[in-house]
Amino acid sequence: MMTLQKATFAGGCFWCMVKPFDQWDGVHQVISGYTGGKVMNPTYEQVKNGDTGHYEAVEITYDDSIIDYNTILDLYWKQIDPTDDGGQFQDRGEQYRTAIFYHTKEQWGLAEASKEELATSGRFSKPIVTEIKPATPFYPAEEYHQDFYKKNKEEYEEDRAKSGRDEFIEDNWD
């Protein structure tokens, strides 16, 4: 029986966080948006300016009979620098920090365990600073941000190439 669940992650620029999840069996939808802030229905310009307290994030809807939360967590960690508390790669500021927003007590426990496992793995010499927080209202970003990697392939690839994300992933995760 299909049971759809949600997972919400902040990992820097949301453009770069969609494609890695979007291509997995069992993932039904990945939405770019904003969460964790104090303004209702924020705009991209408000969030980008850092005035709202929101994170750029993705909300993933998945079928947990096909892909489980631990697999999604593993995918998430491999997209980010979990030791950087000032943003991600070329995107600097609080709105680009990393965070796992849990929707259930089970997700909280799995996220905490995965963070602890990463922290004690010896993979990174610096502390893991990715926060684990309760999910708050998620506001979808403007339509032009949705599926950006598909709709604006060249711009997406240029932005990603200059960000340093791929080099970091290759050096630290592959």
Side-chain angles (χ1 to χ4, degrees):
M1 183 173 118
M2 181 168 67
T3 55
L4 295 180
Q5 304 292 328
K6 291 200 183 295
T8 305
F9 301 116
C13 173
F14 49 36
W15 291 352
C16 292
M17 293 298 293
V18 174
K19 186 177 179 181
F21 297 101
D22 203 27
Q23 302 178 11
W24 282 77
D25 286 342
V27 172
H28 285 261
Q29 186 177 40
V30 183
I31 300 173
S32 296
Y34 319 110
T35 195
K38 58 188 182 298
V39 174
M40 290 179 59
N41 299 308
T43 65
Y44 177 67
E45 289 304 318
Q46 288 174 310
V47 174
K48 185 178 176 183
N49 288 336
D51 299 333
T52 67
H54 286 89
Y55 295 71
E56 279 199 13
V58 290
E59 183 180 76
I60 302 158
T61 303
Y62 65 99
D63 179 345
D64 69 356
S65 70
I66 298 173
I67 186 169
D68 65 21
Y69 190 68
N70 274 325
T71 301
I72 291 175
L73 277 170
D74 189 50
L75 287 168
Y76 168 70
W77 288 119
K78 292 177 179 174
Q79 305 310 310
I80 65 167
D81 175 354
T83 68
D84 186 348
D85 63 1
Q88 287 290 285
F89 312 107
Q90 71 177 355
D91 297 306
R92 310 312 300 160
E94 288 188 7
Q95 66 274 36
Y96 298 113
R97 291 172 298 153
T98 60
I100 297 169
F101 293 91
Y102 61 88
H103 294 265
T104 66
K105 188 175 180 179
E106 179 185 16
Q107 283 186 354
W108 171 80
L110 293 170
E112 288 286 352
S114 72
K115 181 178 177 179
E116 180 62 24
E117 184 179 326
L118 183 58
T120 59
S121 71
R123 182 177 291 274
F124 296 100
S125 58
K126 297 189 291 187
I128 305 304
V129 297
T130 299
E131 293 184 274
I132 299 172
K133 305 172 76 132
T136 59
F138 182 89
Y139 301 100
E142 296 80 354
E143 181 56 35
Y144 70 93
H145 290 298
Q146 304 306 328
D147 294 320
F148 193 85
Y149 81 96
K150 292 178 185 176
K151 295 189 289 192
N152 298 284
K153 189 175 188 310
E154 284 183 28
E155 186 178 350
Y156 166 76
E157 288 176 358
E158 283 177 25
D159 188 67
R160 185 158 179 129
K162 70 181 178 188
S163 74
R165 186 183 293 262
D166 290 331
E167 291 85 353
F168 180 87
I169 291 169
E170 187 175 312
D171 291 347
N172 292 279
W173 291 109
D174 290 344

